Amino acid sequence: MNSARSRRTTAIADHHPPESNPPFAERVIERAILGSRWILVAFHTGLLLTIIILLVKFFHVAWTTLISVARLSVKEVVVASLSIIELALIASLILMVIFSSYEGFVSRLDRHGDQRGGSELRSIGFGTLKHRLMASIATIAGVYLLETVMQCARR
C-alpha cells in the first residue's frame, strides 16, 4: 500500500502516469526550454566583457588623474575619485548579476578545488539580489548626481 501511494505521489508530481512516457512533443519542448538556459551564457560573456571595459576606463581615469594631479583643483580630484567609485560600484553590480543569474539559471559554479571565498556570492537569492541591486543603483545615482553637481560648481 505504501509503494502504491508513493507511485501515485510520483505520478502527480510528474504529471504523467508512472507506467507511461510523456508525448514526444512534450519531451522536445521540455528539452528545448531546459537547453535554452545556455543562451544566457552569451549574455554573461557580454557582461564580463563590460567589466573589462570598465576596468580599462578605470585605468584611464586613474592614469589621467595621476599624471595631472599637480595642476588639478581639489574639486577635479574629487570628481575623478567619484568617477572611480562609480566604476567600481557598476562593476560590482554587474558581477552580482552574473553570479546570481548563472548560478540560478545555467549551472552551479564549480570552483575546482578553490577554497577562497565565493560562497556568499553563490548563495545570493533573488530577494537579496533585488535589494542589493536597488541599493547599488541608488548609490550609483547618488554618486553620479554628486559628480554632476561638482562639475557644475567647477564651471
Side-chain angles (χ1 to χ4, degrees), residues 9 25 30 99 104 148 151-152:
T9 305
E30 287 175 358
F99 269 107
T148 304
Q151 286 176 348
C152 287

Side-chain angles (χ1 to χ4, degrees), residues 20-97:
S20 71
N21 288 329
F24 175 75
E26 186 176 346
R27 286 194 314 260
V28 169
I29 291 170
E30 287 175 358
R31 283 187 182 154
I33 290 171
L34 287 173
S36 68
R37 71 183 194 269
W38 289 98
I39 295 172
L40 290 174
V41 173
F43 291 101
H44 296 133
T45 304
L47 289 172
L48 287 172
L49 290 174
T50 302
I51 291 175
I52 293 169
I53 291 168
L54 289 172
L55 181 66
V56 170
K57 189 63 178 172
F58 160 79
F59 282 123
H60 172 74
V61 171
W63 178 253
T64 305
T65 304
L66 186 64
I67 62 173
S68 58
V69 71
R71 63 181 167 81
L72 292 176
S73 70
V74 174
K75 289 180 182 177
E76 290 171 324
V77 172
V78 169
V79 168
S81 300
L82 289 172
S83 295
I84 291 172
I85 291 169
E86 186 176 18
L87 290 170
L89 287 171
I90 293 170
S92 298
L93 177 68
I94 292 171
L95 199 56
M96 277 192 298
V97 170

Side-chain angles (χ1 to χ4, degrees), residues 2-20:
N2 201 9
S3 66
R5 184 180 310 190
S6 68
R7 276 193 304 232
R8 263 188 269 126
T9 305
T10 305
I12 291 170
D14 293 340
H15 303 292
H16 304 291
E19 292 82 24
S20 71

